[in-house]
Structure formats: structure tokens, C-alpha cells
């Protein structure tokens, strides 16, 4: 929540700086940069709401919790990034046939440069902390800000080149190049978020860790099969069938399950584990081999 609120404050500050840079110069490229920052502000609000909802405990209507709210926020951010790119393309298209010199370019670039540094620092913090907290909303917000940083750097290069050469056509051309970059960034954010909404399995490395833990800690069982995984926000859902010898008591089976769960939660933070115990005649001999 503190990070999400921080994004809102940083978004307001950056938008004010970039709007000032455009006002001073009249540059369409700087206007494009400011337009993207309005989206940054809107996505910061979306991330704030999503993090708050995702933190709500499970209830009768949402027994698995509200973790997927963060994926919805991240998809919304991706869509808004795409909208920002389309707005930039519209502004650039209106100027490319009649490019105009930029007023006070150096002053505008200095103001925009301050906003860029602020964005870069906060974007790095959001990506780092978002990954550590396994928060898709915060990580997506950070990636969006870093895309904005690339935008600002590209805009600055374009204006400096235009100022040096006198080719003011570079101003709208740079805005178009920036818009294409932003479109790609938005596509990646949407793609990554949809994988969570569609219950995509955990990455191969994580899946191998889960299999290794089960194989090592399931002593007393015969095998484990039908392993399924998915992730929602910070939570990793793991469920599988555990086959035990027919003579194993309920108490002994429960002890094996407890041992596996403890080891999995140690290896996979915020894991939600479901184990279905089955008798030996249900063995498929194609699952996870238990190491004695």
C-alpha cells in the first residue's frame, strides 16, 4: 500500500514537470511524453485499488482470496499504455506535415530531465519491490514507468538532434518512434498479466523445485501424481495426489502431508497446498518418485 500511494504522489509530480516542459517548448514530442504520464497517474490509481483489494482476506464468496485483482489491474495498465501510444501517434500525425521549431528547447529538456530521473528511480524501486513481494500490479507499474523513461530519453535525443541540425521534422518523427516502443511495452504487460488470469502453471524452475521437495520429503509414501500449479498475485497454488501403502493409518498419512507442506512453504513463500491421499492401488507409476 505504501508503494502504491508513493506511485500516486510520484505520478502527480512527474506529470506536473512534463506538462511544464511542453508548455515552455510547444514540442509535440514533449506533449506525447506528458500524455503518457497522464496514463502513469491513472495506472497508479488502478494499482493502489488492486493492491488494496488483493490484500483482503478470503471470504465466503471468494474462498481462494482476492489475489487476482492485481492481474486485472496489470491488464488495465497494459490497455492504458496502448491508448497512450495511440494518442501520441495522433498528435504526431497532425504535426509531421507542418513541423514547427521548438521554443526554449534547453529549458524544456532540463525540466523534462528532472521528471525522467524521478521516474527512473521510482520505477526501479517498484520493479525490485514488486518482484520481491510477488505483486504483479506493482511490477507492472514499475515496468510502465521504465518504458516512460525510455520515451523521455528518446524525446530528448530527438529534440537535441533537431536543435543541432535544424530538422524540426525530427520532433514528430521521434514521437512516432516512441509511440511504437510504448505499444510494444503495453502488449508485453497485457500478455504477462493474462497468463495469470488464465491460471498458467508456475515457471519450469519453480515446478522442478516443487517436484524435488515432494520427492525428498514424502518418505513413507509410494508416489505423487497429477501435480497441478497456478499462481495468483503472491500466492502459488499447488495440488497433487499422494499415494500411500494401504496399511498406512490416517494419522501417519497426515504426518507425511504435514512434512511435505512445511517443506514446500519453506521453498515457495505464500504457497497454498492441497494434497489428496490415495491408497496404493491408485498408483499410476508415472508421477513423482519418492526417495527413501
Amino acid at each position: 500500500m505504501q508503494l502504491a500511494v508513493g506511485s500516486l504522489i510520484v505520478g502527480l509530480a512527474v506529470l506536473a514537470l512534463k506538462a511544464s516542459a511542453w508548455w515552455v517548448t510547444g514540442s509535440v514530442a514533449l506533449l506525447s511524453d506528458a500524455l503518457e504520464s497522464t496514463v502513469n497517474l491513472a495506472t497508479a490509481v488502478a494499482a493502489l485499488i488492486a493492491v488494496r483489494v488483493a490484500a483482503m482476506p478470503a471470504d465466503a464468496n471468494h474462498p481462494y482470496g482476492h489475489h487476482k485483482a492485481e492481474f486485472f489491474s496489470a491488464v488495465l495498465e497494459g490497455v492504458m499504455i496502448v491508448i497512450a501510444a495511440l494518442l501520441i501517434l495522433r498528435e504526431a500525425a497532425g504535426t509531421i506535415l507542418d513541423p514547427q521549431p521548438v521554443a526554449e528547447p534547453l529549458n524544456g529538456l532540463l525540466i523534462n530531465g528532472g521528471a525522467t530521473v524521478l521516474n527512473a528511480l521510482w520505477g526501479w524501486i517498484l520493479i525490485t519491490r514488486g518482484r520481491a513481494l510477488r505483486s504483479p500490479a506493482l511490477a507492472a507499474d514499475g515496468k510502465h514507468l521504465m518504458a516512460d523513461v525510455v520515451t523521455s530519453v528518446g524525446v530528448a535525443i530527438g529534440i537535441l538532434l533537431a536543435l543541432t541540425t535544424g530538422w524540426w521534422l525530427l520532433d514528430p518523427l521521434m514521437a512516432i518512434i516512441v509511440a511504437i516502443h510504448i505499444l510494444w511495452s503495453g502488449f508485453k504487460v497485457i500478455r504477462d498479466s493474462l497468463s495469470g488470469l488464465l491460471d498458467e502453471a508456475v515457471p519450469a524452475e519453480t515446478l522442478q523445485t516443487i517436484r524435488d521437495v515432494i520427492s525428498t520429503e514424502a518418505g513413507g509414501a509410494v508416489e505423487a501424481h497429477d501435480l497441478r500449479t497456478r499462481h495468483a498475485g503472491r500466492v502459488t497454488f499447488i495440488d497433487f495426489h499422494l499415494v500411500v501403502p494401504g496399511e498406512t493409518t490416517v494419522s501417519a498419512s497426515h504426518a507425511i502431508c504435514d512434512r511435505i507442506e512445511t517443506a514446500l512453504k519453506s521453498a515457495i513463500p505464500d504457497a497454498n497446498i492441497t494434497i489428496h491421499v490415495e491408497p496404493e492401488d491408485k498408483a499410476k507409476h508415472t508421477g513423482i518418485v519418492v526417495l527413501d
Side-chain angles (χ1 to χ4, degrees), residues 89 172-182:
L89 286 172
L173 282 178
M174 183 54 66
I176 291 173
I177 293 171
V178 162
I180 293 171
H181 166 75
I182 295 171

Side-chain angles (χ1 to χ4, degrees), residues 244-270:
V244 299
E247 67 275 8
T248 306
T249 64
V250 172
S251 179
S253 298
H254 191 271
I256 298 172
C257 292
D258 281 348
R259 188 170 65 245
I260 296 172
E261 287 184 16
T262 299
L264 282 174
K265 288 179 178 179
S266 176
I268 312 292
D270 296 305

Side-chain angles (χ1 to χ4, degrees), residues 31 74 87-88 114 132 166 177 213-214 222 224 247 250 288:
L31 172 59
L87 289 173
I88 292 170
I177 293 171
V213 168
I214 295 173
V222 176
E247 67 275 8
V250 172
I288 300 171

Side-chain angles (χ1 to χ4, degrees), residues 51-128:
V51 170
R52 186 177 181 85
V53 172
M56 294 170 61
D59 55 38
N61 292 325
H62 305 89
Y64 292 99
H66 301 78
H67 311 289
K68 285 191 176 182
E70 294 200 43
F71 288 122
F72 283 105
S73 170
V75 170
L76 175 62
E77 289 191 33
V79 171
M80 295 186 78
I81 291 172
V82 171
I83 292 173
L86 295 177
L87 289 173
I88 292 170
L89 286 172
R90 188 188 69 175
E91 293 295 330
T95 309
I96 197 166
L97 297 178
D98 185 25
Q100 298 294 323
V102 173
E104 300 186 51
L106 295 180
N107 288 336
L109 288 177
L110 284 174
I111 296 171
N112 217 58
T116 301
V117 171
L118 184 57
N119 255 350
L121 289 173
W122 191 249
W124 178 79
I125 290 171
L126 285 179
I127 292 174
T128 303

Side-chain angles (χ1 to χ4, degrees), residues 20-264:
S20 298
W22 164 66
W23 183 262
V24 167
T25 62
S27 163
V28 67
L30 288 178
L31 172 59
S32 301
D33 207 5
L35 280 174
E36 188 182 4
S37 289
T38 63
V39 179
N40 288 349
L41 189 59
T43 54
V45 173
L48 176 62
I49 296 172
V51 170
R52 186 177 181 85
V53 172
M56 294 170 61
D59 55 38
N61 292 325
H62 305 89
Y64 292 99
H66 301 78
H67 311 289
K68 285 191 176 182
E70 294 200 43
F71 288 122
F72 283 105
S73 170
V75 170
L76 175 62
E77 289 191 33
V79 171
M80 295 186 78
I81 291 172
V82 171
I83 292 173
L86 295 177
L87 289 173
I88 292 170
L89 286 172
R90 188 188 69 175
E91 293 295 330
T95 309
I96 197 166
L97 297 178
D98 185 25
Q100 298 294 323
V102 173
E104 300 186 51
L106 295 180
N107 288 336
L109 288 177
L110 284 174
I111 296 171
N112 217 58
T116 301
V117 171
L118 184 57
N119 255 350
L121 289 173
W122 191 249
W124 178 79
I125 290 171
L126 285 179
I127 292 174
T128 303
R129 296 300 298 150
R131 287 173 177 169
L133 295 171
R134 305 180 72 192
S135 170
L138 291 178
D141 201 11
K143 290 175 183 177
H144 186 185
L145 290 183
M146 296 310 284
D148 194 12
V149 169
V150 174
T151 298
S152 299
V153 172
V155 165
I157 292 172
I159 293 176
L160 286 173
L161 286 174
L163 180 62
T164 303
T165 63
W167 298 345
W168 293 108
L169 182 63
L170 289 172
D171 185 31
L173 282 178
M174 183 54 66
I176 291 173
I177 293 171
V178 162
I180 293 171
H181 166 75
I182 295 171
L183 277 173
W184 176 246
S185 174
F187 166 74
K188 289 194 294 183
V189 170
I190 293 171
R191 180 193 61 191
D192 293 345
S193 303
L194 285 177
S195 71
L197 287 174
L198 295 174
D199 289 335
E200 185 177 65
V202 298
E205 315 85 69
T206 305
L207 182 60
Q208 188 58 51
T209 297
I210 293 170
R211 294 178 64 90
D212 290 343
V213 168
I214 295 173
S215 178
T216 303
E217 300 296 332
V222 176
E223 70 171 30
H225 58 244
D226 293 347
L227 171 64
R228 299 186 302 176
T229 63
R230 63 185 178 91
H231 58 96
R234 298 187 306 275
V235 180
T236 300
F237 290 88
I238 306 168
D239 69 78
F240 59 93
H241 294 194
L242 184 70
V243 178
V244 299
E247 67 275 8
T248 306
T249 64
V250 172
S251 179
S253 298
H254 191 271
I256 298 172
C257 292
D258 281 348
R259 188 170 65 245
I260 296 172
E261 287 184 16
T262 299
L264 282 174

